[in-house]
Amino acid sequence: MDQNSRILSLRDIASQINSGSDLQTALQQLIAAACRHANWALGSIMGIDAAHGYAYVIVRHDPTLIERQLPDKWELATSPSLIALQRNEPVYIRDARASGEFPGYRKEAFERDYRTVLVMPMNCRDAEGRPMVLSVIAREVTEVSEDDLAFLGTIIHLGAIAVQREHRLEAEKRSAQRLERALEAHTSLLEHVLSDGSVASLSSMVGKMLPNPAVVVDFTANQVVAGRSPNALYDEAGWQQAAATVLSRPLMKAARDAVERGTADAVSLYLDDGTQRFKITARIEALMVDNQLVGALIIFPTTREFSDLDLLMLDSAKFALSVQMMRSFIRFRFETRTQTELFFEIVEARWRNAGDVAQRAQRLGLSFSTPQQMIVVDFPDKTKAFGGASVDVEHTLSRVMQQASVQANLIAVEGGVVCLVPHDTGKRQERTTKLARRIAEELGRYFDEAPIVVASNRCAALSDYPPAWERCARMIRIGRSFGLTGAVSAQDFGPLPMLVAACEAGDVRGFVQESVGAIADHDRDNGTPYLETLSVYLQEGCRNQACADAMGLHVTTLRYRLARIQELFGVDVETPEKRFAVELAIRLHGVIDNRSIASS
């Protein structure tokens, strides 16, 4: 074939490849054209699976083949294809019948009556990712010139273009299908939200949609919903059960900590279900509504990286979950605000009509018609508003009340919460005391420090609430000034702390420092017992022998100590007024130091 004819044949081949037929047809036309225009009798295109040691026939051109079944797989050990790929150059077998290097070809050359074989790498890969080669065969011994190689090389280049184009089309098709699925998933998620579905059912949809195992943490409902298991220690049902129960609290805490740190990197979670401990890494995405944290999405990594479409699906999931949680958040915030407004009208005595208060309370699910007590919780961190970042505090308290079989209404206040509970009719208020301690314990885990929890007196009428509220507030102020935490009561304080709370703290501390501060400082610096001696002396009515006996001292030693106290500090207890002032200062010093509150 002359040069012009070959150029025209290349044009025909390009036209066939560009006709838009499927890849199998295009390759079939390619090998047929290569044989027809280059004077080869037979030909094939193969994919080379070097890892498993086989060459697989993709298409074959054999006009003489009638009803004979030929092998579609060759062992690479007997094929020149691997050599052609390794060298990236053609392998020419002038006479396969005489070649000892490739015994497989020699045997088939006699069976199928051919002589010359040429194998050329195609510099492209098939749908399985296997490198491809083109093989052509002549019946007679055929010399291959540089022009012949150049012509076949051009045909192969056109074939590689066809293969790459097909790969691009397949990739675009798959991408379009995945995008369509992502849009369908986004639509189904929003339809679920608009139909007022639950967070649990939406979480199940999200778990099936995302390629990675995930856990949904809902702070508005204080719940954890898990999907597929990320760890071989659990099957799917076991993981979902553990995440909703024993692992719920550490998962929620890890989610909140990661979001508050604002880290976008994977974090390590150390989990313990009571029988086994394990470490697992996760990516934690915040779920926000109106700049408030309402939940989090914990995503566990796999060997597969997130694609752009996966990220699109993730954004859709986060949006849908946030909207679903937003309903609970808005409802909670509205109810909390309106309940709080009514509560402060009552405790500040700003109401005028008791009937109007009763109707408004009924609409909000409250009741002031039966005797109640207020359990007031003062958070250690005032920046954590009850209706804001710590929405789950409400659910924690609800769980505590439910476990204690106590019907309660929760009302948000600045920096804390008020629990309205039925009045404890027991004389020792044991049920209320246990409830206050449990509240302090549970919220202490959340805040990393126990709040102050105080219980009010019995409130049977609206007029009982203002003094009860003021008394609780006074006890909280005392507790804060003395560094107390946890559940406290009036019995823990006694009358002197109440006196301190009624006065300016600075004035009280100044009086104590001026009266006995120098003695306390001296005792602390030098290990002397002067303040204790003075305290016992006053308690024993300034009687030397009684004081010496109480302290186990000789009366002479006592007189020496008293003389030193007078000499060093100028303390005068000769008149009743001065004795009272000194004794009061000693008792107040014990209150301020939080050492003798119970005995005051």
Side-chain angles (χ1 to χ4, degrees):
M1 181 178 290
D2 60 29
Q3 197 69 18
N4 290 333
S5 299
R6 285 191 168 183
I7 292 174
L8 292 176
S9 65
L10 290 175
R11 184 186 66 181
D12 294 340
I13 295 170
S15 298
Q16 292 173 357
I17 291 174
N18 197 45
S19 64
S21 57
D22 63 90
L23 182 60
Q24 191 76 10
T25 302
L27 293 178
Q28 188 68 56
Q29 293 173 344
L30 179 75
I31 190 63
C35 292
R36 183 170 60 255
H37 297 295
N39 297 321
W40 295 93
L42 312 172
S44 64
I45 294 177
M46 294 178 288
I48 307 305
D49 185 357
H52 296 90
Y54 287 98
Y56 293 88
V57 176
I58 299 174
V59 294
R60 175 184 280 114
H61 174 71
D62 187 351
T64 63
L65 187 63
I66 300 177
E67 292 182 355
R68 182 181 176 188
Q69 185 69 31
L70 296 178
D72 287 333
K73 183 171 72 171
W74 288 81
E75 289 188 12
L76 288 179
T78 62
S79 170
S81 301
L82 189 58
I83 296 175
L85 288 174
Q86 290 172 342
R87 298 175 181 174
N88 194 29
E89 60 184 28
V91 174
Y92 170 61
I93 305 174
R94 185 174 181 277
D95 189 353
R97 296 182 184 181
S99 173
E101 187 177 0
F102 304 105
Y105 271 79
R106 181 178 182 181
K107 178 181 178 182
E108 192 187 59
F110 285 102
E111 292 178 352
R112 298 184 61 195
D113 188 25
Y114 64 78
R115 305 297 290 264
T116 300
V117 178
L118 179 65
V119 179
M120 301 183 68
M122 293 186 64
N123 296 317
C124 60
R125 294 177 178 270
D126 64 10
E128 304 297 327
R130 300 173 301 201
M132 298 168 62
V133 298
L134 180 143
S135 173
V136 288
I137 296 172
R139 298 289 187 190
E140 303 295 334
V141 173
T142 304
E143 303 296 335
V144 179
S145 66
E146 291 294 329
D147 289 342
D148 293 332
L149 291 175
F151 177 70
L152 285 174
T154 304
I155 290 178
I156 287 172
H157 181 68
L158 292 174
I161 292 174
V163 171
Q164 292 166 0
R165 183 196 66 178
E166 185 68 18
H167 289 339
R168 286 195 300 270
L169 290 175
E170 283 297 320
E172 291 172 0
K173 183 179 178 180
R174 289 193 300 270
S175 178
Q177 290 173 344
R178 294 177 60 195
L179 179 59
E180 184 178 358
R181 288 197 299 270
L183 294 175
E184 289 175 352
H186 180 78
T187 301
S188 63
L189 290 175
L190 290 185
E191 288 176 349
H192 182 280
V193 171
L194 294 175
S195 64
D196 201 19
S198 67
V199 171
S201 57
L202 181 62
S203 300
S204 177
M205 293 178 62
V206 169
K208 296 175 181 177
M209 183 182 72
L210 294 178
N212 294 40
V215 168
V216 175
V217 179
D218 183 3
F219 293 133
T220 69
N222 200 32
Q223 67 174 340
V224 174
V225 183
R228 303 189 305 276
S229 173
N231 193 293
L233 296 174
Y234 297 93
D235 58 21
E236 186 168 311
W239 168 248
Q240 293 172 356
Q241 175 68 18
T245 53
V246 292
L247 298 180
S248 174
R249 180 171 292 166
L251 286 172
M252 293 186 73
K253 188 177 187 305
R256 184 178 291 281
D257 290 345
V259 171
E260 289 179 351
R261 289 196 305 269
T263 178
D265 300 328
V267 298
S268 295
L269 305 182
Y270 298 89
L271 302 177
D272 184 351
D273 63 3
T275 60
Q276 53 194 354
R277 297 180 180 180
F278 59 97
K279 173 186 174 183
I280 190 169
T281 58
R283 170 181 172 181
I284 298 178
E285 299 280 343
L287 301 177
M288 308 291 291
V289 174
D290 193 21
N291 294 322
Q292 299 288 347
L293 178 65
V294 295
L297 185 61
I298 304 176
I299 305 170
F300 299 98
T302 62
T303 55
R304 174 191 159 192
E305 293 291 332
F306 261 55
S307 66
D308 291 341
L309 283 176
D310 291 333
L311 293 175
L312 178 63
M313 299 276 273
L314 176 61
D315 288 340
S316 297
K318 289 169 58 179
F319 176 75
L321 288 167
S322 298
V323 172
Q324 186 72 58
M325 295 175 187
M326 178 174 61
R327 296 188 171 191
S328 299
F329 173 76
I330 292 176
R331 182 169 56 250
F332 167 78
R333 187 166 59 179
F334 173 76
E335 292 175 353
T336 298
R337 183 171 59 247
T338 52
Q339 288 177 347
T340 302
E341 291 171 354
L342 176 60
F343 176 77
F344 276 102
E345 284 187 32
I346 294 173
V347 298
E348 294 174 358
R350 292 188 282 110
W351 57 275
R352 295 184 178 181
N353 188 305
D356 175 64
V357 171
Q359 289 181 358
R360 291 169 60 194
Q362 184 177 7
R363 286 197 299 269
L364 295 172
L366 303 176
S367 175
F368 297 94
S369 60
T370 57
Q372 296 185 114
Q373 284 180 276
M374 293 181 289
I375 297 179
V376 183
V377 183
D378 187 63
F379 298 158
D381 185 356
K382 300 289 185 170
T383 63
K384 292 187 176 181
F386 180 65
S390 55
V391 177
D392 49 329
V393 170
E394 186 261 351
H395 296 284
T396 299
L397 291 174
S398 297
R399 187 180 67 252
V400 171
M401 299 299 176
Q402 184 178 10
Q403 291 172 348
S405 300
V406 174
Q407 295 293 326
N409 292 110
L410 308 178
I411 299 174
V413 297
E414 181 66 25
V417 61
V418 175
C419 308
L420 294 177
V421 300
H423 175 249
D424 185 357
T425 56
K427 291 183 179 180
R428 301 181 62 181
Q429 295 275 296
E430 292 182 358
R431 187 195 66 181
T432 302
T433 301
K434 290 180 179 178
L435 189 58
R437 290 174 180 169
R438 181 68 187 281
I439 290 172
E441 178 185 351
E442 289 292 323
L443 293 184
R445 295 192 183 101
Y446 172 75
F447 287 111
D448 295 326
E449 179 186 341
I452 290 181
V453 183
V454 299
S456 74
N457 295 333
R458 179 176 181 268
C459 297
L462 293 178
S463 58
D464 295 332
Y465 285 90
W469 173 254
E470 179 56 34
R471 187 168 182 272
C472 290
R474 186 164 57 248
M475 285 194 290
I476 290 172
R477 288 197 300 271
I478 296 170
R480 287 291 174 218
S481 65
F482 298 143
L484 299 181
T485 59
V488 297
S489 65
Q491 289 76 17
D492 296 324
F493 290 111
L496 284 181
M498 292 299 183
L499 177 62
V500 173
C503 304
E504 289 292 335
D507 293 339
V508 173
R509 292 181 182 275
F511 166 71
V512 171
Q513 182 63 30
E514 182 180 347
S515 301
V516 297
I519 303 176
D521 293 342
H522 187 279
D523 285 349
R524 183 178 60 252
D525 295 339
N526 299 280
T528 53
Y530 292 153
L531 190 61
E532 178 190 6
T533 300
L534 187 58
S535 176
V536 176
Y537 181 69
L538 292 171
Q539 290 175 11
E540 295 297 334
C542 299
R543 293 175 297 161
N544 289 347
Q545 190 61 55
C547 178
D549 293 342
M551 297 189 70
L553 301 175
H554 193 276
V555 70
T556 303
T557 304
L558 174 65
R559 290 194 184 107
Y560 172 77
R561 286 187 186 179
L562 293 174
R564 287 291 292 166
I565 292 171
Q566 172 65 28
E567 177 186 344
L568 292 173
F569 310 109
V571 174
D572 184 4
V573 292
E574 293 301 321
T575 65
E577 291 80 6
K578 291 180 179 179
R579 283 198 300 271
F580 174 76
V582 173
E583 186 171 6
L584 178 62
I586 291 174
R587 289 178 176 271
L588 289 175
H589 177 269
V591 170
I592 292 173
D593 274 2
N594 197 21
R595 290 199 301 263
S596 58
I597 291 178
S599 61
S600 296

